[in-house]
Amino acid sequence: MQYRILGRTGVQVSTLALGAMNFGKIGRTTQDEVTGIVDAALEAGINLIDTADVYSGGESEEMVGKAIGGRRDDIVLATKATMPMGDERNRQGGSRRWLVTALEDSLRRLGVDHVDLYQIHRWDSNTSDEETLSALTDLQRAGKIRYFGSSTFPAYRIVQAQWAAREHRLSRYVTEQPSYSILQRGIETHVLPVTEQYGLGVMVWSPLASGWLSGAIREGSEITTSRSTFMPQRFDTTIPSNRARLDAVEQLAKVADEAGLTMIQLALAFVTAHPGVTSALLGPRTLDHLYSQLAAADITLSADVLDAIDGIVAPGTDLAAHEKNDTPPALLDSSLRRR
């Protein structure tokens, strides 16, 4: 396992990190399975575990808390908030009112007195940067969080938050967690240059592109991945963006074969090769999934392989831009762009 400094925090984290979205109902995993995955990940040298309150309605945090019992000090523990936690309208977002409550709930589920990294899961357009940063700064000063970061923020919002922190003399986001893979390279255009400029640590999610880069999806084979069962529209190859992904996968498979690598090794080594990326978040549902991904821990891609990948999916290109989850609200809500 390799390690990098998380932004400018001085904290060393593994280049492969454990994402816990599949823990609980979403991934149909039991506590014993989760504990086994966590044990194997820590044994392999992973020291960063990332979860969120919304994952399986809090079940993921509870499972992580039980799995890390007695080993809390050896783990960089991260969680997230702002996504809806129930039907009540104020149990979401970036307000002080909700973040204070959400953090207390997360700490209780995790069974800890603090988290190392608390992340704003999505930018809340209804809440000012000053409101959110002020609440996070106070929680940090109270010792309940060590650092805080953002997740899936557009580049201009990352910049705005940095300036808001400076203007109001508040602590700032020190990390960003965007989606990034060979098939979704849009963050290379704006987000990664900005995070590098401001010295943010970057932990990327979905480096296997929801399973497209797992090796299980190939031309002529039925797509039966777990994700395809509850998100079928993302894998319908009659849709042009999905057809483009399948065509790219076939070409990437040849690059991987010629390099003596699995598709998973190629995909994970690609995202960690970028100098702006700190860690790639793995999202295993089983131990076999974890082991296949850990095989990428010591892989370094040659310039020829990276050039070949660029020839298949050009730098800065998203093959499915509509899946980025950072679309400005005005493009989604007509009332925000019309009088």
Side-chain angles (χ1 to χ4, degrees):
M1 188 63 64
Q2 303 174 47
Y3 299 86
R4 294 173 182 166
I5 304 298
L6 186 64
R8 295 173 181 165
T9 67
V11 177
Q12 296 188 40
V13 295
S14 48
T15 53
L16 298 182
L18 182 61
M21 191 181 77
N22 279 319
F23 293 175
K25 292 190 290 287
I26 292 177
R28 304 185 303 279
T29 48
T30 66
Q31 182 62 57
D32 286 345
E33 290 170 328
V34 167
T35 300
I37 290 170
V38 170
D39 288 346
L42 297 180
E43 180 65 25
I46 286 177
N47 72 340
L48 170 60
I49 299 178
D50 176 79
T51 184
D53 57 1
V54 76
Y55 294 163
S56 294
E59 189 179 12
S60 172
E61 287 183 324
E62 292 175 353
M63 288 182 156
V64 168
K66 292 175 182 177
I68 66 173
R71 298 176 290 188
R72 169 66 184 90
D73 292 342
D74 299 327
I75 295 165
V76 178
L77 182 60
T79 192
K80 300 183 284 292
T82 69
M83 302 289 272
M85 288 293 287
D87 296 330
E88 204 281 315
R89 66 184 64 206
N90 284 312
R91 292 183 61 80
Q92 62 182 307
S95 70
R96 174 183 291 271
R97 183 181 188 274
W98 173 238
L99 289 178
V100 171
T101 299
L103 178 60
E104 292 295 343
D105 289 346
S106 288
L107 294 177
R108 173 179 49 79
R109 287 188 291 263
L110 287 163
V112 298
D113 61 6
H114 74 279
V115 292
D116 297 297
L117 179 64
Y118 198 48
Q119 300 156 99
I120 299 302
H121 209 155
R122 294 290 186 272
W123 167 53
D124 176 10
S125 62
N126 296 316
T127 306
S128 69
D129 288 310
E130 181 185 2
E131 166 83 1
T132 300
L133 292 169
S134 175
L136 293 170
T137 298
D138 287 347
L139 291 171
Q140 183 183 52
R141 290 171 179 168
K144 295 183 178 182
I145 60 179
R146 297 295 185 255
Y147 308 98
F148 52 85
S150 57
S151 176
T152 320
F153 275 32
Y156 76 97
R157 294 307 317 173
I158 296 173
V159 173
Q160 180 60 33
Q162 293 292 314
W163 278 97
R166 180 179 297 183
E167 179 181 3
H168 299 289
R169 298 185 178 181
L170 299 168
S171 295
R172 70 186 187 97
Y173 295 126
V174 298
T175 62
E176 162 62 13
Q177 188 178 136
S179 171
Y180 184 42
S181 72
I182 294 176
L183 304 182
Q184 295 284 85
R185 300 183 60 173
I187 67 167
E188 296 172 347
T189 303
H190 300 295
V191 171
L192 289 178
V194 166
T195 57
E196 288 185 276
Q197 176 69 31
Y198 286 97
L200 274 63
V202 174
M203 302 168 296
V204 301
W205 57 271
S206 200
L208 298 183
S210 298
W212 279 97
L213 298 172
S214 67
I217 298 177
R218 297 296 301 273
E219 183 72 69
S221 299
E222 182 181 3
I223 299 177
T224 59
T225 62
S226 174
R227 193 66 61 89
S228 68
T229 61
F230 63 92
M231 303 177 79
Q233 73 282 3
R234 290 198 177 190
F235 300 89
D236 180 353
T237 54
T238 65
I239 296 173
S241 60
N242 293 336
R243 182 70 243 178
R245 285 193 277 201
L246 186 58
D247 291 343
V249 164
E250 287 301 304
Q251 297 177 66
L252 290 166
K254 295 177 182 178
V255 173
D257 287 342
E258 291 173 1
L261 302 172
T262 65
M263 282 287 285
I264 289 175
Q265 288 174 316
L266 184 77
L268 293 176
F270 168 81
V271 296
T272 56
H274 195 290
V277 172
T278 309
S279 301
L281 289 165
L282 312 181
R285 287 190 307 108
T286 67
L287 270 174
D288 286 343
H289 290 166
L290 176 65
Y291 289 136
S292 67
Q293 294 166 26
L294 288 172
D298 59 353
I299 301 296
T300 300
L301 301 182
S302 68
D304 288 344
V305 170
L306 291 171
D307 288 344
I309 292 172
D310 287 350
I312 297 168
V313 181
T317 300
D318 287 315
L319 295 188
H322 58 287
E323 295 178 7
K324 288 175 61 59
N325 295 302
D326 64 356
T327 303
L331 298 184
L332 301 173
D333 183 353
S334 62
S335 68
L336 297 177
R337 62 179 183 271
R338 296 174 184 162
R339 295 183 179 178

